[in-house]
């Protein structure tokens, strides 16, 4: 058969035939596809680079901040509070390290076999522990007063959901002895009362900070220190722990004997103005503040003002002596023991007749003191009181210190000048009174008060001449003799000087009939005074209320032990020891 090729149209040709027939076209198509894929890969890589650049450099702080918030937890490092020391370095207050244990209920296995051991360490029953954990869904502190041994035993249990944290608790070794002056801190270790509060910034220190790194399950996996804690500075006081204890014991004994409402004592170093002791009773234990009340917390010697009674006569007499209106030997007629001014009558407990100014102070004659004060203008007596520190808030670095009450002399009437001259119608704090008596214990200058040690003798502000101060000092020594109002203030082997005070307590616009404040302020040794002691007893109710009967013996006890504490030698010229048992009839 004779055949010839058939011409098949192009659209019906086999594709295989076409491909094999166009290899160049096939290669070119593959090349373009590779370039496109490579370009896309390069764009993707560039995008990654750009994104990494943005994340790691441009927005680094933002992402780091997010990471920190998510995986780091700030944790404060408590700063140890500075110690409070007495003048000899004895510890009055310190911060004791302890630990607190907390529970994360969501992570704690309440059925753990180690729960009984945890309960035993915490000194509670397992049932009570389970109830506490089951009752809370959030973290809570289980105990905040673990000692180091308990904390170590809990750590050894390796219980998940149990967290321990270091803390500090303020501890006062002397209990209630320094409570009113040192004060105490609150739960946050911040000063809340007394010198703990006024010196808080220095004692507190600076807390440190660390950051705990946690994983996604909130489990700590590491930590980094941000700033270490800086401990607080120690505060050394002028107080002497021995003299403080001596004073407190004397007050406690007197409170019991006289069934008094309260009592206070202040001891001041004459040469430096340092407060060696300041005590109030009743007191409180700053280690146990569960049942505090304002009566026990109040620092009565600093914050409370009372009418000082006859202890103010020393200043009235001193003012008249300094102004030259009288001399120590000037005679004043006090008979018949009463003096009427306007419609008021002033009287002595016993009539004395003709007395010298020296005898007026020694025997504490109200009539004699008023007649001496009448030789001065009201402004002169007022200005002398102000110069002695009355009517002004003492600069002692304690909150709540009172200025007392001293009215403007322009508002005085004759009876006011009379009563103010012997300590009625004027009020002072015991600290003010103790400080004012340094005028007589020194050479007529008023020394500033300090609760911190002084490097040496301190200069005071001149109030009266050294000659006047010496005259009054002699009168006050005579007041503690057998013919004076305070023989019970005497100390065997030493010469002492001082003045008693007895005052009715103000009540409802007048004076309470059977409520008294008994006081005594004195110094020792009389020939060269080293310290002033002021004592106040509020509402003695056991039958005695005169300052010579109630407050003077407290002075004697504190002075006796303090003189020996200071290792001062008895006066060799004092051959006849004072008859301490003597009581002057009608002491006041």
């Amino acid at each position: 058969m004779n055949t010839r090729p058939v011409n098949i149209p192009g659209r019906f040709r086999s594709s295989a035939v076409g491909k094999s027939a166009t290899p160049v076209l096939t290669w070119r198509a593959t090349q373009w596809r590779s370039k496109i894929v490579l370009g896309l890969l390069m764009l993707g890589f560039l995008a990654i680079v750009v994104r990494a650049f943005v994340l790691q450099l441009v927005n680094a702080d933002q992402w780091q901040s997010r990471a920190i918030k998510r995986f780091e937890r700030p944790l404060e490092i408590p700063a140890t509070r500075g110690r409070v020391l007495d003048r000899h370095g004895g510890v009055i207050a310190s911060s004791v390290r302890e630990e607190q244990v907390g529970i994360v209920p969501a992570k704690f296995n309440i059925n753990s076999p180690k729960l009984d051991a945890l309960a035993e360490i915490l000194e509670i029953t397992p049932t009570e522990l389970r109830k506490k954990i089951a009752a809370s869904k959030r973290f809570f502190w289980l105990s905040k007063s673990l000692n180091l041994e308990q904390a170590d035993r809990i750590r050894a249990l390796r219980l998940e959901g149990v967290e321990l944290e270091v803390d500090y608790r303020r501890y006062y070794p002397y209990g209630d002895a320094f409570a009113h002056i040192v004060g105490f801190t609150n739960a946050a270790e911040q000063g809340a009362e007394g010198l703990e509060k006024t010196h808080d910034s220095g004692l507190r220190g600076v807390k440190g900070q660390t950051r705990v790194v946690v994983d996604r399950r909130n489990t700590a996996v590491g930590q980094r220190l941000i700033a270490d804690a800086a401990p607080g500075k120690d505060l050394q006081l002028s107080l002497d722990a021995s003299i403080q204890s001596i004073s407190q014991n004397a007050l406690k004994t007197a409170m019991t004997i006289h069934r008094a409402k309260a009592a206070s004592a202040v001891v001041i170093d004459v040469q430096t103005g340092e407060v060696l002791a300041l005590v109030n009773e009743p007191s409180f234990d700053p280690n146990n503040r569960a049942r505090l009340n304002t009566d026990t917390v109040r620092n009565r010697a600093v914050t409370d003002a009372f009418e000082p009674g006859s202890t103010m006569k020393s200043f009235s007499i001193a003012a008249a002596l300094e102004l030259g209106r009288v001399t120590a030997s000037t005679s004043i007629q006090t008979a018949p023991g009463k003096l009427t001014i306007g419609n008021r009558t002033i009287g002595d407990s016993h009539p004395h007749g003709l007395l010298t100014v020296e005898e007026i102070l020694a025997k504490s004659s109200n009539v004699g003191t008023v007649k001496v004060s009448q030789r001065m203008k009201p402004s002169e007596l007022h200005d002398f009181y102000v110069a002695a520190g009355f009517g002004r808030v003492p600069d002692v670095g304690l909150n709540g210190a009172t200025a007392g009450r001293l009215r403007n002399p322009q508002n005085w009437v004759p009876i006011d000048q009379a009563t103010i001259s012997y300590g009625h119608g004027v009020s002072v704090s015991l600290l003010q009174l103790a400080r004012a008596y340094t005028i007589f214990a020194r050479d007529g200058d008023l020394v500033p008060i300090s609760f911190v040690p002084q490097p040496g003798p301190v200069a005071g502000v001149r109030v009266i001449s050294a000659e006047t101060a010496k005259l009054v000092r002699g009168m006050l020594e005579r007041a503690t003799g057998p013919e004076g109002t305070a023989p019970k203030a005497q100390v065997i082997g030493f010469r002492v000087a001082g003045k008693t005070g007895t005052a009715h307590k103000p009540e409802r616009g007048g004076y309470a009939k059977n409520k008294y404040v008994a006081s005594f302020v004195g110094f020792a040794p009389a020939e060269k005074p080293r310290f002033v002691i002021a004592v106040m007893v509020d509402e003695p109710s056991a039958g005695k209320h005169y300052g010579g009967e109630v407050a003077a013996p407290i002075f004697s006890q504190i002075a006796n032990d303090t003189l020996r504490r200071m290792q001062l030698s008895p006066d060799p010229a004092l051959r006849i020891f004072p008859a301490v048992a003597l009581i002057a009839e009608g002491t006041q």
Side-chain angles (χ1 to χ4, degrees), residues 158-171:
R158 298 183 179 278
L159 282 167
E160 188 176 3
V162 175
E163 296 187 3
L164 289 159
E165 185 176 301
V166 176
D167 196 14
Y168 292 92
R169 176 177 60 86
R170 203 65 166 163
Y171 176 62

Side-chain angles (χ1 to χ4, degrees), residues 322 439-445 462-474:
E322 184 69 11
I439 295 171
F440 309 127
R442 292 167 63 94
D443 286 330
D445 58 328
R462 175 67 54 191
V463 178
I464 55 177
S465 65
E467 182 182 354
T468 301
K470 184 177 180 180
L471 284 173
V472 176
R473 195 156 56 238

Side-chain angles (χ1 to χ4, degrees), residues 136-433:
S136 180
K137 295 181 179 180
R138 297 182 177 182
F139 172 86
F140 67 95
W141 292 113
L142 190 59
S143 175
K144 289 193 174 185
S145 57
L146 295 178
N147 58 45
L148 299 183
E149 180 188 358
Q150 288 175 306
D152 289 341
R153 290 171 62 191
I154 291 174
R155 282 193 184 91
L157 293 175
R158 298 183 179 278
L159 282 167
E160 188 176 3
V162 175
E163 296 187 3
L164 289 159
E165 185 176 301
V166 176
D167 196 14
Y168 292 92
R169 176 177 60 86
R170 203 65 166 163
Y171 176 62
Y172 301 89
Y174 287 90
D176 60 352
F178 291 91
H180 291 102
I181 185 66
V182 175
F184 53 85
T185 60
N186 58 23
E189 279 279 282
Q190 297 173 344
E193 289 290 340
L195 294 174
E196 288 271 32
K197 183 175 182 178
T198 55
H199 291 267
D200 183 62
S201 59
L203 287 167
R204 192 189 303 180
V206 181
K207 292 182 179 180
Q209 189 181 65
T210 184
R211 285 190 172 272
V212 179
V213 181
V214 298
D215 60 15
R216 61 187 181 85
R217 295 181 180 180
N218 208 35
T219 302
V221 294
Q223 65 180 24
R224 63 188 181 95
L225 181 66
I226 304 300
D228 205 354
K233 296 179 181 178
D234 289 346
L235 172 64
Q236 187 165 31
L237 303 180
S238 61
L239 300 173
D240 186 307
S242 296
I243 299 176
Q244 184 83 359
S245 297
I246 289 167
S247 303
Q248 185 186 37
N249 292 334
L251 287 187
K252 284 184 174 181
T253 301
M255 288 272 291
T256 301
I257 293 174
H258 299 290
R259 297 201 301 270
K261 178 181 178 181
S264 300
V266 177
V267 183
I268 296 176
D269 188 302
V270 169
Q271 296 177 356
T272 63
E274 297 169 325
V275 178
L276 301 178
L278 189 152
V279 184
N280 296 284
E281 285 294 332
S283 188
F284 66 95
D285 186 355
N287 295 310
N288 182 16
R289 303 193 295 271
R291 296 181 179 178
L292 292 183
N293 60 67
T294 54
D295 282 341
T296 57
V297 173
R298 194 169 72 248
N299 189 351
R300 297 172 183 270
V302 177
T303 65
D304 287 16
F306 66 98
E307 293 197 352
S310 296
T311 56
M312 292 296 284
K313 292 175 181 176
S314 305
F315 301 96
S316 302
I317 298 297
L321 289 170
E322 184 69 11
L323 292 171
R325 309 298 161 79
V326 294
T327 65
S329 58
T330 299
S331 296
I332 304 289
Q333 182 57 257
T334 66
K338 294 182 179 181
L339 179 64
T340 300
I341 300 175
N343 58 354
R344 297 276 300 277
T345 299
I346 294 167
D348 288 331
S349 56
H350 298 282
H352 299 294
L354 189 67
L355 298 175
T356 64
V357 169
E358 182 176 8
E359 291 172 330
I360 286 172
L361 189 57
K363 296 180 180 295
S364 196
S365 168
N366 291 339
V367 174
T369 303
V370 171
K371 288 189 173 183
V372 170
S373 72
Q374 287 176 334
R375 301 189 179 197
M376 295 179 284
K377 298 177 183 178
S379 60
E380 291 175 328
L381 182 60
H382 173 272
D383 291 347
F384 186 81
Y385 279 8
V386 171
F390 301 118
R392 298 182 295 174
V393 177
D395 183 15
V396 293
L398 284 174
N399 293 328
T402 182
R405 181 172 178 264
L406 180 61
R407 292 184 292 117
N408 191 312
Q410 295 178 351
N411 300 324
W412 291 6
V413 294
I415 191 60
D416 290 330
Q417 180 170 348
T419 57
I420 287 173
S421 71
Y422 61 83
H424 285 72
V426 59
S427 63
V428 303
S429 72
L430 191 66
L431 186 62
Q432 281 180 313
L433 194 58

Side-chain angles (χ1 to χ4, degrees), residues 542-573:
K544 297 178 180 179
H545 63 269
Y546 285 120
E549 296 173 318
V550 177
I554 303 173
F555 167 89
S556 177
Q557 183 179 344
I558 296 173
N560 178 74
D561 293 346
T562 301
L563 285 163
R564 282 153 181 77
R565 164 67 180 168
M566 290 183 169
Q567 299 182 346
L568 297 179
S569 301
D571 187 351

Side-chain angles (χ1 to χ4, degrees), residues 9-28:
R11 61 179 180 273
F12 298 113
R13 292 176 184 166
S14 172
S15 60
V17 174
K19 285 181 181 178
S20 60
T22 58
V24 175
L25 292 175
T26 302
W27 176 83
R28 287 179 177 175

